[in-house]
């Protein structure tokens, strides 16, 4: 419907403005038509109207693809974490739902008291008495293999609590939690073997709880160094791999009625495993040529990512010449400094490492490296297979020959495309 | 009144029941709009990302108490977003962005308006920084009305204000924004 402007001169400016915006947007009028209809308001109206029309055509900001790509995972993680915070039991909930609601913390929140703790005098006394009482009663040795339902089982768990209390660091706690998680899983295995399913759920709960606390430390503790965090993540990945296999075996031996808990634990384990893998995959890394270590022989220092091949066998992350004995892909690389060439000058492009592209920003988890620019940016595609470079020298010298200085290849040079 | 999407209504019902997948779908559906809303209000990408997540997380927590009353889910999300943005500004020493910070080198002066140049160059960041200087109400109206394209009635509904009031806010918002551009061009 077209308006008769002649009757609307008394309208306040905001009304006129809105009317003009609508009419221009709908195509009923041009800006000039509207301005012409309100000569008295023209001076004030024109810039506002033009601005309004321009704004409508303004570029639409969209959430960065990098942010969106990892958004669902992060949100799922956050939701899980929040769910874990809330207490309460609702009928009809699954074992896992009941369990997570029973926990009081989260990876994102504060499930465990992080940071170095100071023991109160009272706590020390309690620990001392507990320890003495435990040892003196001879329960210690007996309880090691105790199972839920055994008389000595409470002593076993009490001792675990003592160990946790005595641990004075987050990293120490986290490994203890993992140890206890493994114990719980072994206990479940034994119970299943004995076809004793009575305590299975409660032990599985304890298993998840221990994993959960360890995960909390991994993601939240400020006291972990990058190396510790990477090691812990790798350990967690190892535990997940091992336990998932164990759960698979257990599922084959467990009657259908008891399978639900195991299946839920398995799902949870897969989820947590994935998170840990992503954390590892996005760990900071660096490649540095350190000539001081081997007198002019190029050496590559690998930080943290060295741990990956152990737990990510499917990732062929380094494109090293396969024939060099020092780079046996079957070896577990666990050192942070790895003399790649062992006295052999390797053509520069052999040293290029490739990492899986990532869409998740883990800089908040790895703050130390947040501002460092990787020499090979994330996004470099993984090599599909390892190939021996065509110009691999057959006669490998034991010392690096003098390199011409003007064409010294740089690690920063992009890798040439594959033929 | 903004129309409710029947599919969305089902998703919301499921999310209220605690269905994380349904909520994930809602998240995917609205992440851009909410991000955009936050981004234009604070003018900072990183913080906008954080706040967007926070908004959806708050929404997830508040969902059990959410009642569908024929209003679109987005209205509720925008309410939450507004509260989060207000908290953000309250908790943070607000960084005043002067017009000099609008990176004049990126803009070409000429016969065409600065905003047009910004639009042509898709300088979203500059526009966001300018919008973020407006008052809270003005930001909301500009974003919802012009960036998101809601009608006055819808904007009024989201803000919980009368249409007349929204119209006045819109006028003042455009005037303020115009002053920002004019100051820059001068």
């Amino acid at each position: 419907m077209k308006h008769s402007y002649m009757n609307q001169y008394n309208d306040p400016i905001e009304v006129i403005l809105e009317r003009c915006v609508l009419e221009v947007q709908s195509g009923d009028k041009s800006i000039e038509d509207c301005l012409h209809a309100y000569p008295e308001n023209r001076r004030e109206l024109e810039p506002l109207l033009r601005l309004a029309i321009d704004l409508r055509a303004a570029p639409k900001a969209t959430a960065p693809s990098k942010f969106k790509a990892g958004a669902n995972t992060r949100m799922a993680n956050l939701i899980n974490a929040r769910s874990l915070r809330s207490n309460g039991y609702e009928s009809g909930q699954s074992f896992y739902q009941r369990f997570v609601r029973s926990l009081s913390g989260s990876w994102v929140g504060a499930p465990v008291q992080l940071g170095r703790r100071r023991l109160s005098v009272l706590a020390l006394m309690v620990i001392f008495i507990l320890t003495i009482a435990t040892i003196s009663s001879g329960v210690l040795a007996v309880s090691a293999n105790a199972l839920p339902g055994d008389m000595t089982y409470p002593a076993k768990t009490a001792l675990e609590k003592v160990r946790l209390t005595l641990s004075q660091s987050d990293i120490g706690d986290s490994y203890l939690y993992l140890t206890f998680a493994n114990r719980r899983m072994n206990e479940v295995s034994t119970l299943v073997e004995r076809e004793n399913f009575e305590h299975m759920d409660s032990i599985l709960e304890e298993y998840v709880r221990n994993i959960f606390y360890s995960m909390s430390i991994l993601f939240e503790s400020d006291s972990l160094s990058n190396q510790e965090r990477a090691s812990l993540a790798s350990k967690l990945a190892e535990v997940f791999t091992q336990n998932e296999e164990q759960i698979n075996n257990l599922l084959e031996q467990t009657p259908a009625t008891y399978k639900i808990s195991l299946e839920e634990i398995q799902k949870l384990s897969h989820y947590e495993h994935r998170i840990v893998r992503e954390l590892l995959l996005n760990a900071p890394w660096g490649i540095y040529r350190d000539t001081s270590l081997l007198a002019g022989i190029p050496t590559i220092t690998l930080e943290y990512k060295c741990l990956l091949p152990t737990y990510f066998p499917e990732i062929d992350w380094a494109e090293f010449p396969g024939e060099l004995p020092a780079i046996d892909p079957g070896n577990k690389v666990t050192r942070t400094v790895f003399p790649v060439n062992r006295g052999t000058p390797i053509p520069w492009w052999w040293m290029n490492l490739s990492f899986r592209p990532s869409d998740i920003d883990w800089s908040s988890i790895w703050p130390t490296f947040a501002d460092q620019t990787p020499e090979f940016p994330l996004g470099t595609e993984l090599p599909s297979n390892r190939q021996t470079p065509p110009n691999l020298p057959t006669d490998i010298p034991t010392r690096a020959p003098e390199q011409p200085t003007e064409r010294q290849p740089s690690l920063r040079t992009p890798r040439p495309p594959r033929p | 009144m903004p129309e409710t999407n029947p599919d969305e209504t089902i998703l919301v019902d499921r999310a209220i029941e605690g269905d994380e997948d349904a909520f994930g779908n809602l998240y995917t559906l609205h992440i851009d709009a909410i991000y955009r809303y936050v981004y234009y209000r604070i003018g900072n990408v990183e913080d906008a990302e954080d706040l967007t997540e926070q908004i959806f997380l708050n929404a997830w927590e508040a969902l059990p108490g959410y009642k569908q009353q024929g209003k679109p889910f987005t209205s509720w999300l925008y309410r939450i977003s507004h509260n989060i943005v207000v908290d953000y500004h309250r908790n943070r020493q607000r960084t005043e962005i002067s017009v000099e910070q609008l990176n004049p080198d990126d803009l070409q002066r000429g016969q065409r308006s600065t905003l047009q140049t910004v639009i042509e160059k898709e300088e979203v960041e500059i526009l966001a920084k300018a919008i973020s200087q407006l008052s809270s109400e003005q930001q909301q109206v500009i974003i919802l009305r012009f960036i998101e394209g809601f009608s006055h009635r819808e904007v009024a509904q989201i803000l919980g204000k009368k249409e007349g009031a929204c119209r006045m806010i819109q006028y003042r918002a455009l005037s303020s924004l115009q002053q920002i551009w004019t100051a820059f061009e001068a």
Side-chain angles (χ1 to χ4, degrees):
Chain A
M1 189 183 88
K2 296 184 179 179
H3 295 276
S4 168
Y5 292 120
M6 295 303 290
N7 297 327
Q8 297 161 356
Y9 278 155
N10 292 330
D11 283 341
I13 181 72
E14 67 271 16
V15 174
I16 297 172
L17 175 64
E18 173 61 8
R19 185 179 300 133
C20 286
V21 167
L22 289 174
E23 291 191 342
V24 173
Q25 280 181 349
S26 66
D28 285 350
K29 295 278 185 187
S30 68
I31 291 178
E32 199 51 46
D33 289 342
C34 285
L35 296 174
H36 183 70
Y38 297 97
E40 291 182 358
N41 302 97
R42 182 183 183 104
R43 185 172 177 159
E44 186 181 10
L45 188 60
E46 181 172 5
L48 302 185
L49 182 56
R50 290 191 187 282
L51 180 60
I53 300 303
D54 284 349
L55 270 176
R56 191 70 192 97
K60 293 277 188 292
T62 52
S65 53
K66 191 178 172 187
F67 167 65
K68 283 166 73 175
N72 277 324
T73 306
R74 284 194 305 277
M75 184 52 65
N77 188 10
L78 290 169
I79 286 175
N80 258 335
R82 290 294 174 99
S83 302
L84 293 169
R85 274 204 196 106
S86 58
N87 294 317
Y89 172 86
E90 290 173 33
S91 59
Q93 288 180 322
S94 68
F95 160 77
Y96 174 62
Q97 284 172 319
R98 289 201 309 275
F99 168 70
V100 295
R101 284 183 185 282
S102 73
L103 287 175
S104 59
S106 73
W107 308 344
V108 181
V112 287
Q113 186 183 355
L114 300 174
R116 193 165 287 275
R117 292 159 297 182
R118 292 180 182 178
L119 297 176
S120 68
V121 175
L122 181 63
L124 281 170
M125 284 174 65
V126 170
I127 291 163
F128 179 75
I129 292 166
L130 263 174
T131 309
I132 295 299
T134 307
I135 294 171
S136 63
S137 63
V139 170
L140 179 64
V142 181
S143 68
N145 296 319
L147 288 171
D150 293 353
M151 283 186 65
T152 52
Y153 190 75
K156 182 179 180 180
T157 51
L159 198 60
E160 289 177 355
K161 285 175 186 161
V162 170
R163 288 183 65 187
L164 273 172
T165 315
L166 290 173
S167 165
Q168 285 290 284
S169 67
D170 287 349
I171 189 71
D173 285 1
S174 63
Y175 281 109
L176 280 175
Y177 285 126
L178 283 182
T179 304
F180 302 152
N182 275 336
R183 282 187 186 177
R184 299 295 90 84
M185 188 51 71
N186 290 333
E187 287 166 5
V188 172
S189 294
T190 311
L191 289 173
V192 170
E193 277 173 20
R194 297 180 184 179
E195 298 186 352
N196 175 2
F197 304 103
E198 186 187 350
H199 300 283
M200 202 169 84
D201 271 11
S202 61
I203 299 304
L204 283 174
E205 280 189 17
E206 284 304 313
Y207 165 77
V208 177
R209 195 187 302 275
N210 282 298
I211 292 285
F212 169 81
Y213 288 159
S214 192
M215 290 281 281
S216 301
I217 292 168
L218 174 69
F219 279 88
E220 294 170 37
S221 173
D222 294 331
S223 68
L224 264 56
S225 68
N226 279 343
Q227 179 64 65
E228 286 174 334
R229 202 180 301 278
S231 299
L232 176 57
S234 300
K235 185 65 186 170
L236 267 159
E238 193 179 49
V239 167
F240 285 132
T241 306
Q242 176 189 324
N243 288 340
E244 282 161 17
E245 193 179 337
Q246 206 166 350
I247 292 170
N248 280 339
N249 293 335
L250 289 173
L251 278 168
E252 291 173 7
Q253 306 168 43
T254 308
T257 46
Y258 295 101
K259 275 186 179 173
I260 298 169
S261 301
L262 280 171
E263 284 167 349
E264 286 179 339
I265 296 290
Q266 195 178 37
K267 263 192 280 182
L268 178 67
S269 186
H270 285 319
Y271 170 73
E272 290 173 324
H273 198 167
R274 197 182 76 227
I275 296 289
V276 169
R277 286 160 63 98
E278 285 183 18
L279 178 87
L280 273 171
L281 283 167
N282 292 281
W285 53 276
I287 308 163
Y288 306 102
R289 183 182 288 234
D290 185 349
T291 53
S292 67
L293 294 175
L294 289 171
I297 301 167
T299 303
I300 289 178
T301 301
L302 302 172
E303 293 188 358
Y304 312 123
K305 283 287 182 178
C306 298
L307 296 164
L308 289 181
T310 308
Y311 305 108
F312 297 88
E314 75 275 18
I315 296 175
D316 189 6
W317 52 273
E319 192 180 356
F320 295 127
E323 299 304 315
L324 290 176
I327 317 164
D328 180 355
N331 288 343
K332 288 183 178 179
V333 183
T334 53
R335 288 173 295 177
T336 52
V337 178
F338 189 64
V340 173
N341 56 348
R342 193 172 285 179
T344 303
I346 301 174
W348 64 271
W349 58 273
W350 293 5
M351 296 184 190
N352 287 348
L353 301 187
S354 302
F355 295 105
R356 175 174 289 178
S358 167
D359 55 15
I360 298 177
D361 179 15
W362 289 99
S363 57
S364 61
I365 304 293
W366 304 106
T368 310
F369 284 76
D371 296 324
Q372 288 195 10
T373 306
E375 294 184 61
F376 297 97
L378 290 173
T380 309
E381 284 189 11
L382 277 174
S384 56
N385 53 22
R386 181 183 290 111
Q387 288 182 354
T388 303
N391 56 344
L392 177 69
T394 50
D395 182 21
I396 298 175
T398 53
R399 295 283 301 177
E402 290 297 319
Q403 298 285 333
T405 52
E406 69 276 6
R407 274 300 289 163
Q408 182 70 22
S410 165
L411 278 172
R412 291 181 182 275
T413 311
R415 184 175 53 183
R418 282 181 182 281
Chain B
M1 179 178 287
E3 291 180 5
T4 52
N5 181 338
D7 292 340
E8 186 179 85
T9 307
I10 295 167
L11 282 176
V12 173
D13 276 337
R14 283 172 47 200
I16 290 171
E17 293 297 315
D19 185 335
E20 290 181 17
D21 290 337
F23 186 73
N25 289 336
L26 289 169
Y27 184 44
T28 307
L29 210 58
H30 298 297
I31 188 171
D32 269 332
I34 296 302
Y35 169 84
R36 191 158 49 233
Y37 175 89
V38 175
Y39 174 63
Y40 279 121
R41 290 198 62 181
I42 65 174
N44 179 295
V45 172
E46 288 78 21
D47 289 349
E49 291 176 359
D50 290 346
L51 293 190
T52 303
E53 281 185 348
Q54 188 61 49
I55 287 159
F56 280 96
L57 197 57
N58 283 17
W60 169 253
E61 287 191 325
L63 260 174
Y66 175 72
K67 288 186 172 56
Q68 300 210 65
Q69 297 170 330
K71 294 179 183 174
F73 185 60
T74 44
S75 300
W76 187 63
L77 283 180
Y78 281 122
R79 285 288 189 96
I80 295 174
S81 306
H82 170 67
N83 292 336
I84 295 271
V85 170
V86 168
D87 284 347
Y88 167 85
H89 286 303
R90 188 182 296 139
N91 296 333
R92 177 176 171 271
Q93 186 70 31
R94 186 170 179 176
T95 308
E96 292 295 337
I97 303 162
S98 67
V99 287
E100 287 77 15
Q101 285 179 273
L102 295 180
N103 198 3
D105 291 341
D106 286 348
L107 300 172
Q108 297 170 351
R109 297 179 193 183
Q111 292 181 340
R112 300 179 70 76
S113 75
T114 305
L115 182 57
Q116 277 177 320
T117 312
V118 166
I119 290 168
E120 282 169 8
K121 295 187 75 179
E122 296 199 341
E123 296 284 0
V124 181
E125 188 186 352
I126 296 171
L127 180 60
K129 283 181 178 173
I131 291 174
S132 67
Q133 292 181 76
L134 300 173
S135 74
S136 175
E137 279 185 338
Q138 291 173 356
Q139 287 175 10
Q140 291 184 80
V141 170
I142 289 289
I143 294 166
L144 295 174
R145 180 78 181 86
F146 297 111
I147 307 290
E148 295 303 322
F150 285 105
S151 71
H152 251 308
R153 182 173 298 181
E154 290 166 337
V155 173
Q157 192 182 63
I158 291 168
L159 300 188
K161 291 183 181 295
K162 293 183 177 174
E163 284 184 52
C166 285
R167 208 173 280 121
M168 178 55 82
I169 295 169
Q170 172 182 283
Y171 163 71
R172 287 177 180 157
L174 285 170
S175 299
S176 300
L177 201 53
Q178 179 62 26
Q179 282 175 13
I180 292 170
W181 292 121
T182 306
F184 169 70
E185 285 178 321

